[in-house]
Amino acid sequence: MRSDVFGISLGRRAALALLAGSFLLPALPALAQSETTKRIGIIGAGNIGGTLGRLWIKAGYEVFFSSRHPEELKALVEELGPKARAGTPAEAIAFGNAVLIAVPYKAYPELGRENAAALKNKVVIDAGNAVKARDGAVADEVERDGIGAVSAKYLAGARVVRAFNAANYKIFQKNAGRPEPRMAVPIAGNDPKALETARTLVSDAGFDPVVVGELKAADTFAMGSPGFGHDLSAPELKQKLGVKP
Ligand SMILES: NC(=O)c1ccc[n+]([C@@H]2O[C@H](COP(=O)([O-])OP(=O)(O)OC[C@H]3O[C@@H](n4cnc5c(N)ncnc54)[C@H](OP(=O)(O)O)[C@@H]3O)[C@@H](O)[C@H]2O)c1
């Protein structure tokens, strides 16, 4: 028996296969989604990287933790199960649809240099703070030029969004997913799509994202600024930072 599907004469089996295929069509969006899966690479798996990675795993993300000593992350990955893995920073960048940077700020110049090609166009969630005693000269640069500009300089080509820098990791642990009003997390960046990704990541981690402005606005919630170190609701944080409600 032959059958005519869309004017093409086909054998019965082929026609059935095509028809069956049409029933599979609803699955296509799921397939497309799996290609943009919630995959994040994390560079620096200490207090802040470890905390946020756990929250994203809880939210269904696949998380690739990295550091200079990935073998030391074995226990963390085993504890967190199949959605967690660990390796080098280069592997984390390649893995993630977005990358969280959570290392001491003095590491930025080398990290940026060594991963320049891979970081190009990557959405980078930049949680680092510059501390003079720990980070030395680069902290002077931040003091002079602003943290957004310095991050953009060392992570050249990446679509940097400042986020998760403005509170201690214990505050994030304590407040993640708390009942309304959620804790607000200020974010700043120049690339609208990267900001959108950051908003999703903040929200999925259990917080309320507050877009403060472009990268230069990150100074308003940098370490030592009035916008640093709060666990306010979004309306309260907006008021504090002078962001339109
Ligand atoms: N602690 C907080 O509450 C908090 C809150 C907001 C923002 N921050 C900022 O987030 C950053 C990380 O702070 P933290 O407290 O999470 O530090 P941490 O606990 O000391 O962890 C730092 C992590 O970065 C890794 N690392 C260090 N240098 C690296 C390099 N060159 N390349 C790759 N990995 C490197 C470390 O592992 P290896 O040494 O094995 O490489 C470790 O996994 C800092 O800039 C900090 O100011 C911290």
Side-chain angles (χ1 to χ4, degrees), residues 149-169:
V150 177
S151 286
K153 171 182 163 188
Y154 289 119
L155 308 172
R159 297 148 73 199
V160 176
V161 180
R162 297 276 306 154
F164 291 115
N165 72 290
N168 186 273
Y169 74 100

Side-chain angles (χ1 to χ4, degrees), residues 56-141:
W56 283 319
I57 282 188
K58 216 167 123 189
Y61 283 72
E62 289 177 45
V63 175
F64 196 113
F65 294 94
S66 72
S67 72
R68 292 167 301 181
H69 308 98
E71 67 286 356
E72 291 173 9
L73 305 177
K74 208 166 163 251
L76 174 73
V77 161
E78 276 173 12
E79 179 205 326
L80 292 177
K83 284 193 176 297
R85 56 194 100 176
T88 64
E91 288 173 316
I93 296 168
F95 177 87
N97 295 321
V99 174
L100 170 75
I101 300 197
V103 299
Y105 208 81
K106 66 178 173 212
Y108 277 44
E110 197 183 336
L111 200 62
R113 219 172 20 249
E114 283 183 354
N115 298 285
L119 284 172
K120 211 153 185 58
N121 290 323
K122 205 84 187 180
V123 174
V124 167
I125 309 300
D126 171 20
N129 288 311
V131 184
K132 176 75 182 152
R134 180 190 63 193
D135 301 315
V138 81
D140 295 332
E141 216 179 325

